[in-house]
Amino acid sequence: MKYNDKAYNGLPDASKQSKGIEAVLLEYDISGNNPKPLWLFLVNPQSLRFSREAKYTEISPLASQRSEIQYTATTGQTLSIPDLILQTWYCGKSLRPLIEGIQRLMEADIKNKKYAPPILKFQMGTREFGPCVLTNIQWEESAWLGGEPASVRLGLELKEVPKAISRGEIEQQKTKNLEAAKATREKQGKPRLPLTDRQRADAVAAAKKYLEANIKQWAADVQAAIRGNKYKLSTDANTGTVTMIGTGGKAIGKVLVWDGFAVKTGQGITTIPLVSGGKAP
């Protein structure tokens, strides 16, 4: 057989060794722990049959000779494992545990508060299929030992389901979203995170020091309020803005902005009334 060189050279190498490879249905675990075997194949499958479907909706315009189709979705893969031949008649073994065990993978375990069948992963050597669920089984018994099944032809069908997000991925996404939110707040001139009570107290202390250090720049009534300590300072935790409030709860003006690390003052930020010719430092 003559291969297309470009296609052939693009294929990865694979070992022909098959000794020791055993097929198994594992519990799909998003936590990253060692997977738990739920059902061991007595014999490896002779064939794996895969299928997948792209779904389209047919649209028939009036008087058109050809229908149009509109894409809606692509299904996950379906893995069919037909004709597993299980023979234990000559060994004097019952196949009942295997038959009952595979059926349990299609059932909820209400007693243990598991209200849906387990999510699975099929594995045979390096071949993996999952996450998936077992949707169909068929078996035919043809020999028995005292009523116990000892010759069975078994078929399975597994359907791929969306991959569950691991806890690590969830935490990673949370961190990414938090950093994006911090960056957005920073661009808006806000602290990267809302200020804590301690940071709000630090902002008030910085504002008080700033007002007192530059007292000669403020209007006469503001100077009087500062000297008589007849004012309050209020910090907005979301924006970091410190506002000076006079008697009667009336806002005098914005003193500064504190982002938790540094003070921002001056033109465009400080709105405390100034003396004639004064300038907010």
Side-chain angles (χ1 to χ4, degrees):
M1 178 183 294
K2 173 62 177 174
Y3 293 113
N4 181 309
D5 289 339
K6 290 184 179 179
Y8 179 81
N9 293 332
L11 298 176
D13 294 332
S15 172
K16 295 181 180 180
Q17 183 179 359
S18 60
K19 184 178 180 181
I21 294 177
E22 297 180 346
V24 62
L25 288 176
L26 302 165
E27 181 179 29
Y28 187 81
D29 189 353
I30 67 170
S31 64
N33 297 326
N34 290 330
K36 176 184 176 183
L38 296 182
W39 196 78
L40 301 174
F41 286 69
L42 183 63
V43 294
N44 284 350
Q46 297 183 45
S47 65
L48 302 176
R49 183 181 303 152
F50 295 90
S51 64
R52 199 177 187 199
E53 180 182 7
K55 292 188 175 182
Y56 291 83
T57 300
E58 187 172 295
I59 303 172
S60 299
L62 182 64
S64 174
Q65 295 182 0
R66 295 178 180 83
S67 297
E68 296 181 5
I69 56 174
Q70 182 176 354
Y71 173 76
T72 54
T74 300
T75 66
Q77 295 184 52
T78 297
L79 168 59
S80 299
I81 305 176
D83 296 332
L84 285 170
I85 308 300
L86 311 180
Q87 292 279 3
T88 56
W89 192 88
Y90 293 102
C91 306
K93 297 282 188 177
S94 171
L95 292 169
R96 185 184 298 275
L98 288 176
I99 300 301
E100 293 178 348
I102 195 66
Q103 292 183 70
R104 282 195 292 271
L105 300 185
M106 296 179 63
E107 301 168 353
D109 186 0
I110 305 301
K111 183 179 179 180
N112 292 312
K113 298 183 180 181
K114 296 179 180 180
Y115 302 104
I119 305 298
L120 307 171
K121 179 172 73 171
F122 169 79
Q123 182 174 296
M124 186 172 65
T126 60
R127 191 68 168 96
E128 294 185 350
F129 179 83
C132 60
V133 290
L134 179 62
T135 58
N136 187 273
I137 57 175
Q138 318 94 36
W139 73 96
E140 179 183 347
E141 301 176 6
S142 57
W144 302 264
L145 291 169
E148 293 295 312
S151 180
V152 172
R153 183 186 296 268
L154 176 67
L156 313 176
E157 185 174 88
L158 300 162
K159 284 189 179 293
E160 189 178 26
V161 296
K163 181 182 178 182
I165 302 176
S166 70
R167 294 183 181 91
E169 290 172 327
I170 291 173
E171 292 303 318
Q172 187 178 31
Q173 187 60 48
K174 284 182 178 179
T175 301
K176 184 177 179 180
N177 292 343
L178 181 60
E179 288 302 316
K182 288 179 180 179
T184 299
R185 290 177 59 85
E186 195 170 34
K187 289 179 181 178
Q188 295 171 345
K190 299 177 181 178
R192 286 173 62 82
L193 287 173
L195 299 181
T196 64
D197 290 344
R198 173 63 183 274
Q199 289 174 322
R200 291 173 66 189
D202 290 342
V204 166
K208 183 176 178 65
K209 183 177 179 180
Y210 173 73
L211 289 172
E212 293 175 350
N214 300 284
I215 192 169
K216 293 182 179 180
Q217 300 295 326
W218 316 127
D221 56 340
V222 176
Q223 292 186 33
I226 295 172
R227 290 192 176 98
N229 197 29
K230 295 181 179 179
Y231 71 98
K232 294 181 179 179
L233 294 170
S234 175
T235 305
D236 186 322
N238 185 51
T239 64
T241 300
V242 181
T243 303
M244 184 180 185
I245 300 173
T247 56
K250 184 178 179 180
I252 296 173
K254 184 165 66 173
V255 182
L256 52 77
V257 172
W258 172 257
D259 63 5
F261 303 96
V263 167
K264 296 179 182 179
T265 61
Q267 189 175 2
I269 295 178
T270 304
T271 61
I272 300 297
L274 302 168
V275 295
S276 179
K279 184 178 180 181

